[in-house]
Amino acid sequence: MDLDEDDFVFFGTPIEREEEITSRKKKAVAEASGQLRTLPVWKQEVTDEEGRRRFHGAFTGGFSAGYYNTVGSKEGWTPQKFVSSRKNRAEVKQQSILNFLDEDERADLEGQSLGTSMQFDTFGFTAAELARKQAEKEQQQRPSAIPGPVPDELVLPATESIGVKLLLKMGWRHGHSIKDSRPSSLYDARREARKAFLAFSSDDAKAQLAESESVQGNLESITEQPTNDDVQSHQNTPVYVRNPKQDLHGLGFDPYKHAPEFREKKRSRMSGKRETGNRKADSAKDNLFGFKSGNVAPGFGIGALEEFDAEDEDVYAAGFDFVDTYVQEVEEPSKLMTDSKPKLLAKETGVLPGFRVASNSDYQLERFDPPVIPKDFVPCHKFPGPLETNYRLADPPPPEVPPPEDNNLKLLIEGVATLVARCGKLYEDLSKEKNQSNPLFNFLTGGNGHDYYTRKLWEEQQKRTDQSRQQVDVKQSSSMRKMTAESRGKILGERPLERSIKDLSSSVASAEGIQLQFNLSDTFTEPASSSGLHEAVKPFKDDPAKQERFERFLKEKYQGGLRSTDSSGSSNMSEASRARERLDFEAAAEAIQKGQWGKESKHFSATGGMQFTSGGVEQAKGTEAEDLITKKMFPKREEYQWRPAPVLCKRFDLIDPYMGKPAPAPRMRSKIDTLIFTSDSAKETKVEETIIANRDFSMLQSDVQGISQDVAIKENEVEVEVENVERPVDLYKAIFSDDSDDEGETTSLNKVENPEKKIEAATTTLNRLIAGDFLESLGKELGLEVPPDLPQSTNMAKTPASQKEAANTNVGDSNILPVKNNPSSTVFSETLNHEVPHNRKIAIESRSDKNEVIHGKLAKSVGIYMETGSTENNLDKVDLEKRVHEDSKAKTPSSRRKNWNSNSSSEDERSRKQSKRHRHRSGDSDSDSSSDHRDRYRSRSKGRKKESSREKSGSSRRHSKHHKHRSRDSPGRSRNDSDREHREAKREKRRKRD
Amino acid sequence: MSELEVPGKEANVLKGHEGAVLAARFNSDGNYCLSCGKDRTIRLWNPHRGIHIKTYKSHAREVRDVHVTPDNSKLCSCGGDRQIFYWDVSTGRVIRKFRGHDGEVNAVKFNEYSSVVVSAGYDQSLRAWDCRSHSTEPIQVIDSFSDSVMSVCLTKSEIIGGSVDGTVRTFDIRIGREISDDLGQPVNCISMSNDGNCILASCLDSTLRLLDRTSGELLQEYKGHTCKSYKLDCCLTNTDAHVTGGSEDGFIYFWDLVDASVVSSFRAHSSVVTSVSYHPKDSCMITASVDGTIRVWKT
């Protein structure tokens, strides 16, 4: 048992068994017999009579120590029982104090213990008690700092032990060394007699005055001799006299502990004060008599009342100090209370010895002059404008900065600036708050594009104020008076020439030379939209109203974001149609621009004009049909793979449809893919379908799609290890459609695509139209009134629709091999997937850097297909992007890509959280990867409801947006962590599977 | 004629909830009803006699939905405390607590055999919980929704969920397919027609939409009421002749199922009508409101 206890720590009382007890008893007996006595001390154990261990450590004993160390009974303190009946009455027990005493106490009480008697108890309680009583007695006569009887608790007089008393009786006095320093016996005798007398009269250091008086009388005759020797012997045992505490400091606190010089100073100051104020203290300081009469020296009896001579005075020098401090301390509180004002003065005059007042101090109270009020300031606030925008007028215009390279961002900034100018600062605050986490809105808080934003905002405000000024009447004439040339020019529609020139010179580094050039060229054109350039180009000739709007649009566009808010002509149009028209204008404008730069405007006006008009007509038709389309769009039915849990099937009493099939549920894994590679939660249908096919194929099941799959496989035969992943045909078309320089493989296929194109066009336009009014919806969401003509001013699509059309017709998607025309079931072979990319990618990449237009086209066409091909576009898009990157950057083996694809078709369901995280990260990485491609809608931090509502309305827009602005970013940049990570994981998985 | 069929007479007012009543549900035979609300209680009533029978307290937050098994022996409830409670009706004890939702749980339903509880949560998921085993882990998590799932319906072989992402998704266990019908508007509440062929979805654009389940076609839209921010219930009458739903202005609307005309509308409550439940057999309806009352309506 002991061994066990050495190794282990036990808690609680062990359950005792019979044999254990007996063995223990045996052990105890053995111990008692002395067998174990031989053990060294630290091994011996104290046990009780039953052999149990008596003492326990805090950790080893604990509870098991039980009551052995406490009351002594198992029950603890038990109340006494009292039973009394008629027959046997309980006798009344007389309780005595002995009942309640411990044994040692009882022994004490019974006088069995020896102790020091009170008298000889030097440090004990009893002596102290006695001394206190005595002190109390003396209290009456003694002068005290505290009026009235001193509370006992505060004053505990020290007792004098019997030894001290004896010494005193022998002639020793406090403060004297114990030695015989008196050769003169006579003197000795005299002294002794006096001392004894005094000692008897009082053992306290401070004797009472009356007594001392009498003593004086008595001893007059004897004390003629100066006590020279006393002086010498005095030093040995110093006498400490307590001063009553009368200051405001805490107990034991000495303010001068570390600065004794201050004590000196203070004393001197106090004495100085006393001279003026306190007569008594003055005398105490100055003449001995005053001292004698006023304050009794602490050491009473040391010839205190004898005649003093020079040495005597010296003797009391120390005592003097004490008294002095004492007095001084007395003074302090009153001084504090009464004259706090002169204190400052005293501080200045009373400088420490060794210090002097500095002639110039470092510390100076800095005072500022009050702000100078301009002479023309009228202390009455006027509100010249309807909004608070006017105050900005006073601000110096922020420097004109080139717009950020990211066109998307630029648009956003412009839009927000317009909104802010229109709706006030509140909007800015709101959107700032709302979009805190959105990197796209960094410009609000001073991030990228902030300068541009401020500039834009200022311009907008300027514009607005100008407008409001135009509306103002006589009231505002005062503000009108101060109109500068610039503002006048603004009203008149002039372009401020000097500023743009200045900017041109200042912002040399700006890459946007084109923009500035435009500004310049615009400066010289009349604002009445009758300029040569724009007059010559009238794409909407047959619709004068539209043409007018277009011109206005052009003007606005090239004036760098200054947009007139009162586009009266279009106010009767619906927002959607306006957005549509706007896109149209954009396209036209771009075409014009192109034509101008290419110096072939003539040619353009001939062809382009027709194009646009036709486009316009189409648009008009579209607007009417638009509502119908939206209606048609919903409800949208999609179907996915979904794998119910076996238990669920069981509980629903159904047969598991996936029973016996491989464990990984394809649906879930593909979902994760989308989550990873799409910035938002777009659903993938087509992928789903293809996946099904894939799976089916792998299981050698023949399906409807299996056939197509077979086709794919046949084409695929070359690469055996590659798993087939079919891509919807339109995706590939989208990717490579605009590669006009492509080697034509199957040109005839073009025709097959054509019917689709119509739908695509429609959906695209719809798309863009929806995308157009993002800011407005944002504004609405923020709960602000947004003027209805907003979307026109906010969003510009970059690529002209016509261009895109052309591109589409161009689309010599020779590389595409549509197995089926039906988009939902079209299957693509992997061979195509990357045979084609290989030669094409390079082209894409090379173009990607310089040729924005084509890229825009590309992106857009992708967007189109995404619309038609329903929802998995995001995935595909990223896929595309990846593809491009991969080839351009690392020349990754195609097999890897393939694996990636194939893996995407068979991975297991993952936990929700993970997928969520993935989604989130993918969102981030997306925004990282391409600055343009940032999603405006991605503001996840917002309320879910809101988001969702936006999401649902904007889900389709989002796609288009993504693609529209993706064009310019460099592929290399978009390689992001999540992608890589994901691929890693994929590879890992594949390896595992293999 | 149709006017007569629609309940419009207040038969009883069930008072007892302190605070908004979030849901009121008839039991399967329509003799009793359950209500739950912001006061964190579930109450069992006899709506026909207007008697409060029992109160079930255990939820830590508001109780958002409650459902009772066909044999009236068990309850399930869910609420803001992210838990699903599985109750014994007679003793009022909680048999099991299902935790796992990462957000508030909006709706809960038993399956036909009362062996599974399916809950719809703010965490964009539907979760199925096993009542038979002692496991408190969900036996199935469906997280293909992209926003809060507001409502759930169960058939013999399907789980149907309506979500704020605008979709009504049908999960067919039998064939292992998910069918998503995107309505384009946040779906507040879905309810099945009694013949099981249609789904009525209440959307946040103040429109009820009737969907054909097999084709996903939009059969009809019912407008007139206000439903913009609250979770408002809607249901079909027992004969499937009318569609009914509450409104945020305290009105109850009855539409003709086929021609979508408002047959009847009257002010039933002083505040938002959060829940409506139609008697399975009779022409009787209960409505619950934010004003803390449950009203029983009969023809």
Side-chain angles (χ1 to χ4, degrees), chain B residues 239-257:
Chain B
T239 56
D240 280 348
H242 296 104
V243 166
T244 183
S247 173
E248 283 176 14
D249 50 10
F251 276 66
I252 303 177
Y253 283 79
F254 289 93
W255 292 271
D256 189 87
L257 181 86

Side-chain angles (χ1 to χ4, degrees), chain A residues 887-932:
Chain A
D887 277 59
S888 63
K889 195 183 161 194
K891 295 282 174 216
T892 334
S894 56
S895 61
R896 187 209 275 179
R897 208 182 331 115
K898 228 163 292 159
N899 278 324
W900 179 74
N901 284 333
S902 65
N903 273 334
S904 75
S905 68
S906 60
E907 202 178 307
D908 212 333
E909 161 181 348
R910 287 193 191 164
S911 74
R912 250 182 58 74
K913 270 185 190 161
Q914 195 184 352
S915 69
K916 251 188 184 166
R917 183 163 49 81
H918 268 294
R919 185 197 306 181
H920 187 67
R921 196 185 313 147
S922 75
D924 286 349
S925 60
D926 264 354
S927 58
D928 284 345
S929 66
S930 56
S931 55
D932 302 33

Side-chain angles (χ1 to χ4, degrees), chain B residues 36-48:
Chain B
C36 56
K38 286 231 165 173
D39 59 354
R40 310 194 290 244
T41 61
I42 301 154
R43 285 162 199 265
L44 175 64
W45 313 81
N46 185 328
H48 308 294

